[in-house]
Amino acid sequence: DTGVSQNPRHKITKRGQNVTFRCDPISEHNRLYWYRQTLGQGPEFLTYFQNEAQLEKSRLLSDRFSAERPKGSFSTLEIQRTEQGDSAMYLCASFPATGRGDNEQFFGPGTRLTVL
Amino acid sequence: RKEVEQDPGPFNVPEGATVAFNCTYSNSASQSFFWYRQDCRKEPKLLMSVYSSGNEDGRFTAQLNRASQYISLLIRDSKLSDSATYLCAEAYGGATNKLIFGTGTLLAVQP
């Protein structure tokens, strides 16, 4: 257990519905990343936060996707009007950004989304 | 060309064998590299960081070759429990530090 938690662990939804995932990072980590992983592929970067500021978004993050980290602690990722192509594992990663040179990211267990 | 490339395998090896994976990267400015292990339907877990001259942890050795832009992972005396997907990643984007992953290499250690 890395200390990063994600909820729910599994989500099945019908096409067109909205879904929201939550990530709770390691408490002292000020950076939080979202990735998406589809079958047979490595995780792909979606977006990241430094404290409450969202500093970068991938082109993969269409207008239907929005992420927030309102108080610089937990983060939410919302997908509106889900499509079958959104089916994937959504991973959250936490990173201390201490500047010490150790920059390993620690992943949560992921939320597996299935869009029917 | 993908930024990070790996042979997807599968690598089928007997217990006790030594197996090596390579991973090539295209961004010559990347500074940090990692090997993650991922079990089926689980999250990636950090196996080793790979800095400058590489490092060793028990049966696992990671090397970085900047001239040829690849990193490698060597597993000695393979165990059944080593069966998993091994993902290489580079930390990219300067201050962003986002991870760019390869597709992963599937290792199956057989009795």
Side-chain angles (χ1 to χ4, degrees):
Chain A
D1 183 2
T2 61
V4 181
S5 61
Q6 291 188 246
N7 288 289
R9 295 291 302 277
H10 303 274
K11 180 70 178 178
I12 300 174
T13 191
K14 292 182 179 179
R15 189 175 53 189
Q17 297 295 305
N18 299 344
V19 294
T20 300
F21 311 140
R22 175 177 170 133
C23 171
D24 287 87
I26 296 169
S27 59
E28 62 268 26
H29 287 188
N30 54 10
R31 286 211 185 173
L32 186 152
Y33 296 79
W34 284 99
Y35 294 84
R36 180 176 72 185
Q37 186 176 23
T38 54
L39 198 61
Q41 300 297 316
E44 296 172 294
F45 170 79
L46 292 178
T47 188
Y48 95 99
F49 292 83
Q50 170 103 7
N51 300 311
E52 67 276 6
Q54 187 175 17
L55 297 184
E56 185 173 336
K57 293 193 290 186
S58 161
R59 287 174 298 173
L60 293 175
L61 216 64
S62 75
D63 291 345
R64 297 184 297 106
F65 287 71
S66 62
E68 294 182 342
R69 195 182 182 198
K71 297 181 180 178
S73 56
F74 72 91
S75 175
T76 58
L77 178 67
E78 180 183 15
I79 309 175
Q80 296 182 326
R81 305 180 304 282
T82 52
E83 301 173 356
Q84 287 184 326
D86 297 332
S87 296
M89 172 84 96
Y90 289 83
L91 293 158
C92 172
S94 176
F95 170 48
T98 60
R100 295 181 302 178
D102 50 341
N103 53 359
E104 298 90 349
Q105 294 183 19
F106 299 91
F107 284 85
T111 294
R112 185 169 296 280
L113 172 67
T114 302
V115 182
L116 301 176
Chain B
R1 180 187 171 188
K2 286 188 175 181
E3 294 175 28
V4 178
E5 294 199 61
Q6 291 182 258
D7 180 346
F11 282 56
N12 297 300
V13 302
E15 268 188 292
T18 295
V19 61
F21 311 133
N22 282 343
C23 172
T24 60
Y25 62 94
S26 59
N27 182 9
S28 59
S30 290
Q31 294 295 313
S32 302
F33 303 88
F34 307 91
W35 283 103
Y36 280 82
R37 172 195 168 124
Q38 187 171 32
D39 293 296
C40 188
R41 302 180 74 83
K42 299 287 188 181
E43 75 275 21
K45 293 188 176 177
L46 182 67
L47 180 64
M48 301 182 80
S49 302
V50 189
Y51 298 108
S52 59
S53 60
N55 57 337
E56 182 174 326
D57 183 5
R59 298 182 295 109
F60 299 84
T61 300
Q63 295 284 340
L64 168 63
N65 185 317
R66 288 198 180 276
S68 301
Q69 293 187 205
Y70 74 87
I71 64 172
S72 63
L73 178 68
L74 182 77
I75 306 175
R76 290 180 295 276
D77 188 24
S78 300
K79 312 290 185 190
L80 294 176
S81 58
D82 294 333
S83 297
T85 295
Y86 291 84
L87 294 158
C88 69
E90 64 170 342
Y92 185 81
T96 303
N97 199 59
K98 62 188 175 188
L99 294 177
I100 307 296
F101 284 89
T103 56
T105 298
L106 179 61
L107 171 66
V109 181
Q110 295 161 344

